Amino acid sequence: MKSVFITRPIPESGLALLFPHVTVTTSPKPLTPEEIAFQAEGNTAILCQLTDKIGEQVLSLPGLRVLATMSAGTDHIDLSASRRLGVTVTNTPGCLTEATAELAFALILATARRLPESDRFLRAGRFKGWDPLLLQGQTIVGKRLGIVGAGRIGQEVARMSKGFGMEVLYLSRTPKPEFEAACAARSASLDEIAATCDVVSVHTPLTPETRHLVDAAFLAKMKPTAILVNTARGPVVDEAALVDALRQKRIFAAGLDVFEEEPAVSAGLLELENVVLLPHIGSATFETRNRMATMAASNVLAVLRGEPPPNPV
Ligand code: DGY
């Protein structure tokens, strides 16, 4: 029997495609690798999430043919083990581009205009009337945006920034002539982005090369009025160095949807006013999560039918 094990409850649209050959864990919290290996034993496919650490223990389950992650990122999966063990890995790229770019832009505006801080201020009963000096932030229109990692999401943030008349610099491993033409974007070094951009938005995947790409040296080069936004993966930013920079007001603010040790968040961040913290909700719109679930399920079905999956990693 070809059957599918799902490591977390997913939207109904994805389940419906796999019904009836599907088992969904009943655990309300992410499973450990040991629990996944135990519960998934005997299944031909696993549909997992970015919260599941998938290594050799899971990938070597007898009869396992496909691991479909309901995420664009694949840093939680040991891809060299999957290649060695002959397990096809698939992901869900593309469908979360707009949702994640929207959230990056929401963080840019929320940090620049101090929205959560202003909301807390008002709810605390501290609003005593309009005040010329009250809660001033940074103007975004016409400012310089640095995109670190100009893949689909980074490019979409740049496109959205054109509505705000922003100038775009980008860092990418390969030149992107079409993107440059469409967004009047200019390729720049990491140093130039750090030193000259008013907003830096991080969009690189997490790899050994990008771990702590935004480190103490990068933050030290940023302008005191600058904003850092990270909707990619937490470890791309050195969280301890960021706490220092924010605490000493060496940069204006940061907006984070991802953290180094998710779901843990540095205690230092929690006590600061100049950082906006979100619980990894970049792709969390109904439309996007439905699409992610159906894409992951379609990848599983293709492999089980002996066809090439639409989104192999
Ligand atoms: C992904 O798919 O990698 C995102 O981080 C989920 O929001």
Side-chain angles (χ1 to χ4, degrees):
M1 166 66 82
K2 291 174 179 168
S3 54
V4 187
F5 177 72
I6 305 192
T7 62
R8 307 283 298 270
I10 62 167
E12 198 50 48
S13 53
L15 282 181
L17 289 179
L18 300 171
F19 189 79
H21 306 294
V22 60
T23 314
V24 185
T25 182
T26 48
S27 168
K29 56 181 178 55
L31 300 174
T32 62
E34 292 70 31
E35 288 168 332
I36 296 175
F38 180 72
Q39 295 191 28
E41 196 173 357
N43 286 274
T44 322
I46 297 177
L47 195 159
C48 74
Q49 302 296 330
L50 58 86
T51 42
D52 302 319
K53 294 275 166 277
I54 305 287
E56 181 129 13
Q57 187 178 12
V58 171
L59 293 164
S60 59
L61 284 174
L64 181 67
R65 283 170 53 198
V66 55
L67 175 85
T69 182
M70 199 183 114
S71 63
T74 55
D75 49 281
H76 53 297
I77 302 168
D78 182 344
L79 293 176
S80 62
S82 72
R83 277 189 289 273
R84 189 163 23 84
L85 294 160
V87 176
T88 301
V89 175
T90 66
N91 66 343
T92 60
C95 67
L96 43 80
T97 301
E98 288 82 7
T100 311
E102 275 176 3
L103 195 85
F105 229 90
L107 280 173
I108 292 171
L109 294 173
T111 48
R113 301 304 304 274
R114 302 169 64 178
L115 299 187
E117 185 187 352
S118 298
D119 181 89
R120 287 191 290 269
F121 176 89
L122 184 144
R123 287 172 198 266
R126 294 168 61 199
F127 179 40
K128 304 297 178 207
W130 189 86
D131 178 336
L133 302 179
L134 184 63
L135 287 161
Q136 296 164 83
Q138 305 289 342
T139 294
I140 287 300
V141 169
K143 294 288 178 68
R144 181 180 272 195
L145 169 67
I147 298 287
V148 175
R152 290 186 182 89
I153 300 170
Q155 292 190 28
E156 186 63 25
V157 172
R159 263 190 288 280
M160 289 178 180
S161 82
K162 291 290 139 183
F164 287 80
M166 297 183 86
E167 180 193 355
V168 177
L169 301 193
Y170 76 98
L171 177 78
S172 167
R173 278 174 310 176
T174 50
K176 303 257 180 329
E178 282 172 25
F179 167 55
E180 290 185 15
C183 290
R186 173 166 74 74
S187 161
S189 67
L190 192 64
D191 272 1
E192 186 180 3
I193 288 179
T196 71
C197 286
D198 301 294
V199 177
V200 175
S201 194
V202 176
H203 299 286
T204 72
L206 175 63
T207 65
E209 294 74 40
T210 63
R211 183 173 291 274
H212 286 190
L213 189 64
V214 174
D215 58 4
F218 182 101
L219 293 161
K221 286 183 199 120
M222 287 177 78
K223 300 183 188 184
T225 49
I227 288 164
L228 176 76
V229 164
N230 186 8
T231 52
R233 283 292 181 268
V236 178
V237 175
D238 179 340
E239 216 165 275
L242 179 62
V243 170
D244 271 0
L246 289 167
R247 196 175 272 149
Q248 292 165 29
K249 301 207 167 29
R250 279 192 269 108
I251 64 172
F252 184 74
L256 307 174
D257 185 42
V258 288
F259 303 91
E260 274 206 75
E261 302 288 346
E262 267 175 52
V265 177
S266 303
L269 287 174
L270 292 170
E271 68 202 24
L272 293 170
E273 281 286 18
N274 54 349
V275 61
V276 178
L277 305 169
L278 303 179
H280 204 148
I281 53 167
S283 61
T285 70
F286 292 110
E287 296 91 333
T288 303
R289 288 284 164 84
N290 274 321
R291 187 77 193 104
M292 289 167 79
T294 55
M295 270 176 91
S298 303
N299 278 308
V300 166
L301 289 175
V303 175
L304 297 189
R305 286 191 198 113
E307 295 162 7
N311 310 103
V313 173

